[in-house]
Amino acid sequence: MQNTLKVYRTKFVWSFIHFLVGGLFLLLVATWLFFSWFDNGRYLLTDLVSITVIILSIDLIIGPIFNFWLLSPLKSKRENTINFSCILIMQVVSLGYGITQIDGQRLAYIVKWQNSYFTVLKSEDRRAKHEEALYHFNEPTVQSNERAFYEMMIKNAIPPIEMYEYFVEISASNECKESPCEVITKSGLVKLENTENGMVFY
């Protein structure tokens, strides 16, 4: 009985250390991603909080659980090393997938269409390369050569705010400088203001 308690105590200590080290690492990664990709209020443009909580929960909870389940002081060092390596590989793959999902939530561009501003995220951008910019939508005139292609894309359920073929890039300094603009996002309305430090959302 005493030996069993000692084994479980050791397993708990190993899992707790795993939890602390993993939590610190994830905190550093999350802090770096937040201030690199979602600064100046860009986190308001997406449901970043719930996505991050799900990803962090998977990496932060599953690792220590597998640690407690698979590692044991009764097993050989080689067996524990193999098991721990498998746990780390699983966590690295999970973290990589999570970062990919978060990357898709970054702002791709803002487009002004029918006097309203819309945000489009990287996961929604039809272009292969994503570069943050501000555009006006230049809708093709009726009976023009480009109108047929435009109407075909509409029939294929491509919204105008994703039709980069008709975008005209404009200087961000010319928009939303005198007074804040209201930008339509999936999370609701967010105000946009151009400052010396670039676009700021609040």
Side-chain angles (χ1 to χ4, degrees):
M1 180 68 177
Q2 190 175 359
N3 287 337
T4 303
L5 288 175
K6 187 177 179 180
V7 168
Y8 277 100
R9 190 181 299 116
T10 303
K11 289 164 73 73
F12 177 79
V13 170
W14 289 353
S15 298
F16 187 66
I17 292 172
H18 190 148
F19 177 82
L20 290 179
V21 173
L24 178 60
F25 177 74
L26 288 175
L27 179 63
L28 293 174
V29 171
T31 302
W32 180 77
L33 290 178
F34 182 83
F35 287 104
S36 299
W37 292 351
F38 302 98
D39 61 332
N40 292 330
R42 283 169 175 78
Y43 66 92
L44 297 170
L45 307 178
T46 181
D47 191 15
L48 182 66
V49 175
S50 62
I51 296 173
T52 305
V53 166
I54 293 171
I55 293 167
L56 291 182
S57 298
I58 292 173
D59 257 340
L60 199 58
I61 295 173
I62 289 182
I65 288 176
F66 273 93
N67 187 314
F68 188 84
W69 179 34
L70 296 175
L71 304 187
S72 171
L74 300 178
K75 294 181 179 180
S76 66
K77 184 178 179 181
R78 181 175 180 274
E79 190 175 359
N80 278 330
T81 301
I82 292 173
N83 289 338
F84 188 66
S85 298
C86 292
I87 294 170
L88 285 182
I89 291 171
M90 177 196 70
Q91 286 191 280
V92 168
V93 171
S94 173
L95 180 61
Y97 175 77
I99 290 175
T100 301
Q101 295 302 306
I102 292 174
D103 179 58
Q105 298 301 306
R106 294 169 65 185
L107 174 65
Y109 59 83
I110 297 173
V111 58
K112 185 178 182 181
W113 176 60
Q114 294 185 349
N115 296 321
S116 295
Y117 295 89
F118 296 85
T119 59
V120 175
L121 306 178
K122 286 184 67 175
S123 60
E124 303 163 337
D125 193 353
R126 293 173 52 239
R127 301 173 299 179
K129 293 184 178 180
H130 316 278
E131 190 172 339
E132 191 174 297
L134 186 59
Y135 301 100
H136 280 182
F137 182 77
N138 186 20
E139 184 174 336
T141 56
V142 178
Q143 295 183 343
S144 65
N145 293 333
E146 295 182 337
R147 188 71 184 190
F149 183 63
Y150 168 78
E151 291 178 354
M152 182 193 71
M153 285 196 287
I154 291 288
K155 289 179 181 178
N156 287 323
I158 299 174
I161 61 172
E162 295 179 19
M163 295 181 187
Y164 65 85
E165 294 87 351
Y166 305 110
F167 290 174
V168 177
E169 186 171 359
I170 58 173
S171 173
S173 60
N174 296 331
E175 299 282 324
C176 311
K177 190 172 183 180
E178 299 298 328
S179 61
C181 299
E182 287 191 335
V183 181
I184 300 172
T185 74
K186 288 188 174 181
S187 302
L189 290 176
V190 175
K191 289 188 177 180
L192 162 65
E193 185 176 357
N194 274 306
T195 67
E196 294 178 354
N197 298 323
M199 293 188 291
V200 176
F201 301 88
Y202 59 94

